[in-house]
Amino acid sequence: AALGLYFPRREYLENVYIDEPAGMPLLRIHALKDSHDEVAHFHLCQNLIISRARSHENNWFQIREKTGLLYLSKSLDREDFNMLSVGNWMPLSKVMLYVFLSSHPFQEKECDSATRATVFLSLINATAPACSSLTARQLCFTEMDLSFHIKENKPPGTFHRLQLPSVHHLCQNLSISYKLLAAEGVPFRYNENTTSVQVTQRLDREERERYELIAKCTVREGLREMQVEVPFLVNVLDEDDSPPFLPNGTDTADAVVEFNRKEGTVLSTLTVYDADTTPIYPLESSRKKYTGTIITDDPWISETFRVEHIFDEIHFSPNGSQVRGTRHEY
């Protein structure tokens, strides 16, 4: 079943300072498609969650429905900060917003779509620091890990933009450029003009489960140049699309039964591999997926013998990369 559009990351973090101007871009949220003809629409739930017990109407933040750009629709002043911080003495207040995703334009007040990402905003009781006081790390990357989840067998698309909208907006006298360092032939492309990163083809988790790249950023200010590198990780999410298989194609095992065998004696084993799924917890749900049955009309056989099923996680190594799977032993 097609589950529709999805977020390549579930959580986003950003800092918001007092008195930043309305229209200030804060962060960009991306979506990937389940099928080619989908169009992503983003929507913000109009409630700010301040602490588990409290929420407040959101008067400050908006998202562009077609591009996923989250921005300040109203400047946040000290009075707003005091109202949104749990106590006025705190230098920082964390609030939470939900962003929803749909392949059709949103109707008003839709806050119950299953496909949502959480945005954590740190409201800081100070004005934004001067660009010259920020380190290269702060100018280039947020505090978030650059870690993404892409579903296998889905269409290609843009899933991240390296440039930080707020820094780009505030620090225009600095030149900030990026590169994505990757091994030959990986299915990702970096576009220097837009700083966007695309997955260029459908991925196959049974071929490769994880890609480890590096994002490199160069900051130039006059004659000064600073560089910083951070890991850029892509995990491929599984879809149940490969049948189980038998090692050596053997689907029968001989059993010789001698007299006076003790109860619990193992007479024969049969192994089945599944490259597709890994043991899921609770273990019973993994066990139910495959069952072992003795097919017989003889009640004595049914009473005297039983099939036991044990399974564990194993690693396959197609093309030299490790992929998790399951070994079932009956």
Side-chain angles (χ1 to χ4, degrees), residues 29-81:
I29 292 175
H30 286 85
L32 283 170
K33 299 178 182 189
D34 193 79
S35 60
H36 272 293
D37 44 6
E38 285 178 315
V39 178
H41 296 266
F42 298 91
H43 171 70
L44 210 51
C45 191
Q46 284 308 307
N47 265 349
L48 276 180
I49 296 149
I50 301 168
S51 61
R52 289 210 170 112
R54 292 172 55 210
S55 70
H56 192 287
E57 193 175 350
N58 166 28
N59 301 317
W60 301 272
F61 307 101
Q62 280 299 331
I63 196 162
R64 298 215 188 284
E65 186 180 344
K66 299 227 169 104
T67 63
L69 183 71
L70 186 78
Y71 64 96
L72 268 177
S73 53
K74 175 182 178 293
S75 187
L76 183 86
D77 60 26
R78 251 169 235 287
E79 213 172 296
D80 297 331
F81 177 86

Side-chain angles (χ1 to χ4, degrees), residues 146-161:
L146 291 182
S147 178
F148 306 91
H149 301 277
I150 296 180
K151 294 181 181 178
E152 68 170 338
N153 307 321
K154 301 299 178 208
T158 298
F159 64 95
H160 184 62
R161 193 175 279 193

Side-chain angles (χ1 to χ4, degrees), residues 205 207-210 315-318 320-324:
R205 193 201 71 91
E207 286 294 316
R208 187 156 174 185
E209 193 168 14
R210 186 176 162 88
H315 289 95
F316 297 97
S317 298
S321 72
Q322 282 215 329
V323 171
R324 291 171 306 143

